[in-house]
Amino acid sequence: MELQELVDEIVTRMRGQQLRSGVISQPRLKTETAGKIKLKPVEIKGVYHIQFESHFDQTLRHKNYPLEEVEEAVAACLEQYRQLQLVWAGETVHIQLSKKKKVSIKRTANDEQAPTVLSHNRKKNYVLDPDTIHPFLVHLGVQAKDGKIKNQKHDKFKQINRFVEFVEDSLAYLPTDRPLKILDFGSGKSYLTFALYHYLREMKGYEVEITGLDLKKDVIAHCEKLARELNYDGLHFKVGDIADYNDAQQVDMVVTLHACDVATDLALGRAVKWGARVILSVPCCQHELFTQLESPALSVMTRHGLIKERFASLATDSIRAQVLDLVGYDTQLVEFVNLENTPKNILLRAYYTGATPKPEMIVETKAFLEFLQAKPYLVRELDDQLKGVLT
Ligand SMILES: C[S@@+](CC[C@H](N)C(=O)[O-])C[C@H]1O[C@@H](n2cnc3c(N)ncnc32)[C@H](O)[C@@H]1O
C-alpha cells in the first residue's frame, strides 16, 4: 500500500465515524515532535470532531478537527511518525512505516461496536477540569498519573463534580468571617470528602476544618494517611458512631452521602441541633419506615414488596424534607446523579433560614403521618424541636 492510499483509507473511515481510539507514536525527529498523539472522537457544539491529544512538558494539548479538515492532520502525522494503532468499529489496525515510508499493516478483528462520542462541551462544564491533574483524584484512583480519567471511574468523576456543584451553590449560605466547620458523617472511602476539601480550600481559598467520621477503622486510617500525604491540613478523619459523636460544639455544614438507613436521620438530627447552615444529604437504604407501614389505607401498595420498599423510601425522604422545613430550613429534594447510574439519586439540600413554619405545612405533615400510621425516625429524633409544632 502507498502512503497516499493509507491516508485515504484513514480519512474515509474517520469520515464514516468509525474511529473508537488511536495512538500515533515513534516520531521520526525525536527532538522536534511530541512523544505520542492520542486520537478519539469528540462532539463540540453538536459537531463530530477528531481530537488529537499530545503531551508537551507536562501539559496536555488538544487539537480538534472537524471531519472536513482531518485529511491534512492525518497526512502531517504520517509524515512525522512511524507507528499507528487505530481502533475502528470491528477492526484494529497496526501500521508501521519504514524509514523510506514503506507501509506495513496488520489487521485484527475486534468487538468494538458503533463509535461513541464523548461530549466535549459537557466535559468543559465540570467544576473540576478533567484535563488538569488533581493529585487527590490520582491518589484515589479516579485519574491516572497523566491525568486521564480511568475508564471505570467516569461515573465517579461525574458524581464528584455534581457534588461539588451543590457545594458551590451553597456558598452563599455559609459564614465568611471564620473557618468553616464541616462534618461528613459516614464518610467511607471519602472521595467526596476529599473533593469538598479540594474545592473549598484549594480552589476557593476558604479556611476549613473538615472531619470525616465513619465506623470503619481501616478505611479511616487509610483516609487520614492520605490527607497527611496531600498536606490537607484542615482535613481529618475519625473513627466513631454518628450517634455518639459529641466532639463538635458548632458546625456550619453537615454532609452525609449514602449513610445507611437511620444513620442519615442521626446525621440530620445532629445538624439541626447544631444549627448547621447547610445540609447536603444523599440518603441510602431506608428500612426503618418500611417496618412500620401497616396502615390498611396503604395495603394496595404495600402488599407488593418492591412497591412497599420504594414507597417507604420516598415517604422517608419526603418526611425528612418536611421535618427540616418545620424546624427552620428551606429544603429541596433534587436529583443527584442520573437514575441510570444509581437508584440512590435523591439529594436532600437544606439551607437554614430560621423561618417559622406556615400553619398549612403543620396541618399537612400531621395528616400525612396519620395516613401512614407511622412515626419515622427523624420525627422521633427531633421530638424536642418539634414540640409545640406537631404536638
Ligand atoms: C455506603 S457508605 C458511603 C460512603 C461515602 N459517604 C460515599 O458516599 O462514598 C456508608 C458509610 O456509612 C458508614 N456508617 C453507617 N452507619 C454509621 C454510623 N452510625 N456512624 C458512622 N458511620 C456510619 C459506613 O461504615 C459506611 O462507610
Side-chain angles (χ1 to χ4, degrees), residues 156 186-189 192 213-216 240-242 257-260 263 266:
K156 186 49 91 182
S187 53
K189 288 189 186 155
L192 300 171
L213 186 89
D214 203 286
L215 295 167
K216 294 178 189 153
D241 190 320
I242 305 168
L257 296 150
H258 304 138
C260 326
L266 285 168

Side-chain angles (χ1 to χ4, degrees), residues 213-232:
L213 186 89
D214 203 286
L215 295 167
K216 294 178 189 153
K217 278 189 192 156
D218 50 342
V219 178
I220 285 294
H222 174 77
C223 293
E224 180 63 23
K225 184 166 166 275
L226 180 53
R228 304 290 64 81
E229 278 168 21
L230 288 163
N231 292 320
Y232 281 9

